[in-house]
Amino acid sequence: MTTPLEGYTVVDLSTGIAGGYCTKHLADAGAEVIKVEPPGGDWLRRWTASGADIREGDDSALFQYLSSSKRSVVVDPSRSDEVTFVRDLVSSSDAVVWTRGSPLIAHPDLMPSALTEWAPHATIVAITPWGLDGPWSDRPVTEAVLQAMAGAPMTRGNPDRPPIIMGGRIGEWVAGMFATVGLLTSRWLTQTTGVGEIVDVSMYECLLLSMTMYAVTFESIAGRPMRTNRVMNLPAIHRAKDGYVGFMLVTGQQWLDFCAMVGQPQWMDDESLIRFEVRNRRRPELVGAVDAWAAELTCDEVLELAEALRVPAAKVANGANVTEFEHYVARGFFRTN
């Protein structure tokens, strides 16, 4: 069976999540991905979210996930013959994925502009926080700053507490996905013209496009200002006897069904509560009642009621229970590492 990217060769000069996620998509689609690492390897080999020790000779679970189906070579950028090897590798490839953060990319022969000279036919994807050019291109930054600059914390979280960012370095995952789409789009051009190009992926712009701009555009078309206060869903995540359950109500009918489920018929009679902004103004009253109701039931009992009334709900996963989730068990999702 052929794969979509069979015969497509990619040199991975990236380090970290964004480039690794991009090239994972390509490898999963059948591309031959060759990851070039400095002496000592990609720092992600030794990184874990929990800070747990990694045995000598082993790699982190995240690195293994991102690097599956790839090949790896180690190159010392201080050796001219090894830099020449990378140039030859790039010259024979169809695409290159490049990020900062590795001793390799400090070499002038391995910058994006230089790579286009060694492989004028190839797509060069560069993933950086701000983009390759512009007054902020070399500006230090963190994931939290990028999310804040993109406006994401503006409407997220409890209004009585400080704004919060999304965890898990979401900016790098989002940028990796944008980079994949950009590379595959560029591939159509290079197949037609035989001429490559640089695909300049700014993590900031990726977050701006994916986190806030749709809502801003929608509200502008609707002729009303974008809300600037932070809010949480209502209902949202609530504690049951043995864990947490999350709800996502979208339609008015779902709200009415939820009212019946939690035993609050008077809420059903108040038509104003179908509108989220009204429910949000009465948050203390409503959340208190939902919390009291959920506290008397187990997660499974809540979900059984929700399913019967077609109320969107799910158990909230954590480290203690996620391996027991029915879908993951049936799919054999987890394996001992």
Side-chain angles (χ1 to χ4, degrees), residues 74-121:
V74 175
V75 170
D76 185 347
S78 67
R79 295 175 56 95
S80 60
D81 59 328
E82 296 195 15
V83 173
T84 300
F85 167 77
V86 178
R87 285 169 43 184
D88 293 341
L89 201 60
V90 168
S91 298
S92 61
S93 69
D94 299 296
V96 179
V97 177
W98 181 97
T99 67
R100 294 182 177 133
S102 163
L104 285 169
I105 61 88
H107 197 286
D109 283 355
L110 300 180
M111 298 293 287
S113 57
L115 296 174
T116 60
E117 297 180 17
W118 314 131
H121 61 282

Side-chain angles (χ1 to χ4, degrees), residues 5-27:
L5 294 182
E6 185 172 345
Y8 194 69
T9 303
V10 182
V11 175
D12 186 352
L13 292 179
S14 73
T15 185
I17 293 173
Y21 191 45
C22 171
T23 51
K24 173 179 170 56
H25 287 301
L26 305 175

Side-chain angles (χ1 to χ4, degrees), residues 8-240:
Y8 194 69
T9 303
V10 182
V11 175
D12 186 352
L13 292 179
S14 73
T15 185
I17 293 173
Y21 191 45
C22 171
T23 51
K24 173 179 170 56
H25 287 301
L26 305 175
D28 287 348
E32 180 182 19
V33 177
I34 304 169
K35 183 173 177 60
V36 182
E37 301 182 64
D42 189 329
W43 62 266
L44 201 57
R45 287 181 179 270
R46 313 304 302 166
W47 182 88
T48 61
S50 66
D53 291 333
I54 300 173
R55 292 176 299 183
E56 191 65 32
D58 202 356
D59 296 312
S60 72
L62 180 55
F63 180 85
Q64 292 185 47
Y65 167 75
L66 292 174
S67 301
S68 61
S69 304
K70 303 175 186 177
R71 294 195 292 164
S72 175
V73 295
V74 175
V75 170
D76 185 347
S78 67
R79 295 175 56 95
S80 60
D81 59 328
E82 296 195 15
V83 173
T84 300
F85 167 77
V86 178
R87 285 169 43 184
D88 293 341
L89 201 60
V90 168
S91 298
S92 61
S93 69
D94 299 296
V96 179
V97 177
W98 181 97
T99 67
R100 294 182 177 133
S102 163
L104 285 169
I105 61 88
H107 197 286
D109 283 355
L110 300 180
M111 298 293 287
S113 57
L115 296 174
T116 60
E117 297 180 17
W118 314 131
H121 61 282
T123 297
I124 312 297
V125 178
I127 309 172
T128 60
W130 304 107
L132 289 173
D133 303 313
W136 291 0
S137 59
D138 294 321
R139 191 175 188 175
V141 74
T142 65
E143 168 89 7
V145 168
L146 288 174
Q147 288 195 30
M149 290 286 290
M154 176 177 68
T155 59
R156 183 185 301 124
N158 191 316
D160 298 327
R161 301 174 65 181
I164 57 175
I165 66 168
M166 294 179 69
R169 303 172 77 153
I170 189 68
E172 291 199 50
W173 295 99
V174 169
M177 178 59 74
F178 271 74
T180 305
V181 174
L183 188 152
L184 293 176
T185 303
S186 177
R187 176 172 175 258
W188 287 105
L189 176 66
T190 59
Q191 286 180 323
T192 303
T193 66
V195 179
E197 62 179 345
I198 294 178
V199 177
D200 187 356
V201 179
S202 159
M203 191 184 304
Y204 167 55
E205 293 172 6
C206 294
L207 286 172
L208 190 67
L209 290 170
S210 60
M211 286 195 166
T212 60
M213 292 311 295
Y214 174 81
V216 172
T217 303
F218 175 86
E219 299 291 1
S220 298
I221 294 173
R224 59 196 184 207
M226 175 68 181
R227 60 181 169 85
T228 57
N229 61 307
R230 295 189 306 278
V231 298
M232 296 175 63
N233 286 336
L234 199 167
I237 295 175
H238 301 270
R239 184 195 293 270

